[in-house]
């Protein structure tokens, strides 16, 4: 039997404020974790995405990113959790029924 939350997917984004000379160490840390992606690199601010099956892993990544020399702050900007099955399900487009009787 699985514990509650075992089948969830957590998607998070972070804005990282860092010194210019921290980019190499920050990139190395991100590369070392399969659940992290450097989405937008910048000179002093970067955006990192995280996809994890565990909400605690998201917060662990925040702490790991904060510990990189030259990182000044890690801001959790977005966090969404949803059952993995719901995210992998096909989306069916619904017709716009409220416009069916309207003529132009």
């Amino acid at each position: 039997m699985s514990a509650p939350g075992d089948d969830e997917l957590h998607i998070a984004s972070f804005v990282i404020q860092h010194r210019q000379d921290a980019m190499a160490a920050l990139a190395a840390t991100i590369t070392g974790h399969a659940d992290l992606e450097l989405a937008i690199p910048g000179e002093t601010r970067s955006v990192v995405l995280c996809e994890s099956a565990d909400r605690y892993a998201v917060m662990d990544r925040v702490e790991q990113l904060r510990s990189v020399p030259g990182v000044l702050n890690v801001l959790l900007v977005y966090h969404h959790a949803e059952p993995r099955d719901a995210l992998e399900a096909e989306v069916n487009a619904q017709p716009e029924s409220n416009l069916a009787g309207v003529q132009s």
Side-chain angles (χ1 to χ4, degrees):
M1 178 183 278
S2 62
D6 281 353
D7 63 341
E8 288 184 338
L9 179 63
H10 293 260
I11 302 168
S13 64
F14 315 119
V15 171
I16 302 177
Q17 297 171 315
H18 54 83
R19 294 188 174 96
Q20 286 182 336
D21 60 356
M23 197 61 213
L26 182 59
T29 299
I30 293 166
T31 301
H33 297 285
D35 58 354
L36 293 178
E37 176 187 341
L38 182 59
I40 304 173
E43 287 187 31
T44 59
R45 275 179 275 174
S46 298
V47 176
V48 173
L49 302 178
C50 178
E51 287 189 18
S52 174
D54 182 349
R55 68 179 175 253
Y56 299 109
V58 172
M59 297 315 296
D60 287 344
R61 296 298 178 255
V62 169
E63 292 306 316
Q64 289 166 342
L65 293 167
R66 278 188 180 142
S67 70
V68 173
V71 169
L72 305 172
N73 198 7
V74 178
L75 305 165
L76 175 63
V77 177
Y78 178 80
H79 179 222
H80 176 79
E82 194 166 329
R84 189 176 297 275
D85 292 345
L87 288 170
E88 293 174 354
E90 186 174 324
V91 177
N92 294 322
Q94 297 291 325
E96 295 185 33
S97 60
N98 60 345
L99 298 176
V102 177
Q103 295 180 352
S104 323

